[in-house]
Amino acid sequence: MKLNIQKSLLLIALILGHTSVSIASVLYFEDDTISTSSVPGALTLTGLDVQTTTVTSVTEFNNQLASQSWDLVILGEQNNNIFSSISGLDTYLGNGGSILGTTWLDNSGLSALLGASGRSGTNGTNIAIDSHPIFAGLSSPLMLANPGWGIFSSSWIASSSSQCLGTLGSGCAVVEGNSGNSLLLSGLFDTYNVSDGNILLSNSINYLLNGATGPVSVSEPGTLVLITLAMAGFFTRRMRS
């Protein structure tokens, strides 16, 4: 009996030892930046095992988007109308993909794709946060600052099928659209102070990938093996006593 228990537990240990930890694939593109973007710091802060592919042109973005299935796309339309040259993003989203985006335009098509029906103003600086998980760990007001853009923030109007998160002026600070698969931010990625921007975007990334915020703890295979071997030792001692 003792031998059977040990064999069973060791078999479980071997199986768990070959279990892979899930890696989130992220495609990231900002067409321009003036100050420090919050995206790289946010990706680190998530605590997730993330494999990020960063591209620097629309052509490269289109090629990468079509090359594989991405868990998340992060897109900043910050200085040009790049959305008109992007292909396949609506299909990606329609197939269940997730997008974290921002844009200085209200007519390029990106804001509409992500759940906004327009905007009520531009260049607001004070975001009043609410209880939504993407604002966890932040204090109200969340301040924006212009690093040198003509338009650096937009007060969005959520479409009838989207949700308004927080407020900026008379509009939404964030629009949650596409049944929770997209978040449209009011500020461009380099308009937050480093700490607040990292937290907001980290929360947003976690929310889109997991429906939650904060680091997600995933047991490494080696840890699972050690736990199982400890269980084997426990059962052996119990059998001897």
Side-chain angles (χ1 to χ4, degrees):
M1 179 67 174
K2 176 176 70 176
L3 185 59
N4 288 337
I5 291 174
Q6 287 181 306
K7 284 183 176 179
S8 297
L9 289 172
L10 287 172
L11 179 59
I12 293 171
L14 290 172
I15 293 172
L16 291 174
H18 289 85
T19 301
S20 299
V21 177
S22 178
I23 299 175
S25 59
V26 176
L27 178 60
Y28 165 42
F29 176 40
E30 289 180 60
D31 70 323
D32 201 359
T33 187
I34 294 177
S35 187
T36 302
S37 171
S38 294
V39 174
L43 286 166
T44 301
L45 188 62
T46 60
L48 300 174
D49 196 352
V50 176
Q51 183 175 346
T52 304
T53 298
T54 303
V55 299
T56 57
S57 71
V58 172
T59 299
E60 192 178 2
F61 179 85
N62 287 338
N63 291 338
Q64 287 291 339
L65 184 63
S67 69
Q68 68 176 77
S69 297
W70 298 94
D71 295 307
L72 176 65
V73 168
I74 301 176
L75 179 62
E77 184 178 54
Q78 306 208 146
N79 193 37
N80 300 285
N81 182 347
I82 60 172
F83 183 74
S84 61
S85 300
I86 288 176
S87 59
L89 199 60
D90 53 346
T91 301
Y92 164 79
L93 190 58
N95 289 334
S98 296
I99 302 176
L100 174 62
T102 188
T103 177
W104 67 286
L105 295 166
D106 65 346
N107 59 358
S108 72
L110 179 58
S111 60
L113 178 68
L114 301 186
S117 61
R119 65 183 174 193
S120 62
T122 60
N123 295 344
T125 57
N126 294 19
I127 292 176
I129 66 176
D130 58 28
S131 60
H132 194 277
I134 68 167
F135 298 120
L138 296 168
S139 299
S140 192
L142 177 63
M143 303 299 297
L144 301 176
N146 185 5
W149 301 111
I151 295 177
F152 66 93
S153 71
S154 298
S155 302
W156 296 114
I157 301 171
S159 67
S160 58
S161 59
S162 301
Q163 182 179 357
C164 184
L165 310 179
T167 57
L168 178 64
S170 59
C172 307
V174 181
V175 174
E176 180 181 356
N178 298 282
S179 301
N181 286 335
S182 68
L183 292 172
L184 172 65
L185 304 185
S186 55
L188 301 183
F189 289 144
D190 60 354
T191 59
Y192 306 90
N193 74 54
V194 174
S195 177
D196 287 346
N198 287 353
I199 293 172
L200 175 63
L201 269 68
S202 172
N203 288 344
S204 299
I205 292 166
N206 264 303
Y207 183 76
L208 289 170
L209 289 175
N210 301 300
T213 60
V216 176
S217 177
V218 180
S219 296
E220 295 289 344
T223 302
L224 295 172
V225 171
L226 290 175
I227 292 172
T228 308
L229 291 174
M231 291 173 60
F234 171 77
F235 279 110
T236 300
R237 287 194 298 272
R238 288 293 298 272
M239 292 296 295
R240 288 174 178 172
S241 62

